[in-house]
C-alpha cells in the first residue's frame, strides 16, 4: 500500500515546484501545497463515499495535478508578467488570458480526468 501513495506525492511535489517557479510569490509557494493537499483529502473522502477504492481515489488526485500543470503551461509567462507588474504597482486587472488558453485548460483537465477515470476501471 505505501507504493500507492508515491504517485500522489510525486504529483503534488512536481506541481508545487513547477507552479512555484511559474508564480514566484512566496505566499503562493507556501499556501499552494497546503491548499492542494487539503482539497486532495476532501476529494479522497468524496471518492470513498461514492464507492471508489483508495487506490482509485489516489489516481484521480494525481491526474488532477497533472491536468492542472498541463492546462496552465501556456499561461506561465503571463503569471510572471502579472506578478512583475503588481510588484511595480501597476494595475493588473485588465490582463486576461487568451480564450485559446482557457480552452486548452478545459480540454486538458477534462481529458486527463477522463483518462484517470478510465485507468481506475
Amino acid at each position: 500500500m505505501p507504493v500507492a501513495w508515491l504517485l500522489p506525492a510525486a504529483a503534488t511535489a512536481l506541481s508545487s515546484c513547477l507552479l512555484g517557479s511559474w508564480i514566484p510569490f512566496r505566499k503562493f509557494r507556501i499556501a499552494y501545497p497546503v491548499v492542494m493537499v487539503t482539497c486532495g483529502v476532501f476529494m479522497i473522502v468524496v471518492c470513498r463515499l461514492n464507492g471508489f477504492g483508495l487506490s482509485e481515489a489516489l489516481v484521480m488526485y494525481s491526474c488532477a495535478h497533472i491536468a492542472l500543470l498541463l492546462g496552465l503551461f501556456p499561461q506561465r509567462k503571463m503569471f510572471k508578467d502579472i506578478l512583475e507588474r503588481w510588484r511595480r504597482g501597476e494595475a493588473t486587472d485588465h490582463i486576461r488570458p487568451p480564450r485559446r488558453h482557457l480552452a486548452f485548460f478545459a480540454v486538458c483537465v477534462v481529458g486527463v480526468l477522463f483518462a484517470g477515470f478510465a485507468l481506475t476501471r
Side-chain angles (χ1 to χ4, degrees), residues 4 11 14 38 43 57 72 76 78 81 93 95 100-101 104 106 108-109 111-112:
L14 181 67
T38 304
M43 188 182 87
L72 291 177
R76 66 192 186 284
M78 186 183 72
D81 182 45
D93 299 340
I95 301 173
R100 66 181 186 277
H101 288 185
F104 181 75
C108 284
V109 169
V112 172

Side-chain angles (χ1 to χ4, degrees), residues 11-77:
T12 304
L14 181 67
S15 70
S16 296
C17 289
L18 284 178
L19 283 175
S21 69
W22 296 347
I23 305 171
F25 190 52
R26 186 171 184 264
K27 290 180 182 178
F28 176 81
R29 289 181 183 170
I30 294 169
Y32 177 77
V34 172
V35 169
M36 292 309 286
V37 169
T38 304
C39 291
V41 168
F42 178 71
M43 188 182 87
I44 289 170
V45 168
V46 169
C47 285
R48 297 284 291 170
L49 292 175
N50 288 317
F52 287 89
L54 180 61
S55 60
E56 295 165 339
L58 293 175
V59 167
M60 293 302 289
Y61 173 79
S62 302
C63 287
H65 275 281
I66 294 167
L68 182 69
L69 285 177
L70 288 175
L72 291 177
F73 187 74
Q75 298 178 32
R76 66 192 186 284
K77 292 179 184 175

Side-chain angles (χ1 to χ4, degrees), residues 77-95:
K77 292 179 184 175
M78 186 183 72
F79 291 145
K80 288 183 180 181
D81 182 45
I82 289 172
L83 183 64
E84 288 173 11
R85 288 179 183 209
W86 179 74
R87 284 186 175 158
R88 288 191 303 246
E90 298 176 16
T92 58
D93 299 340
H94 65 282
I95 301 173

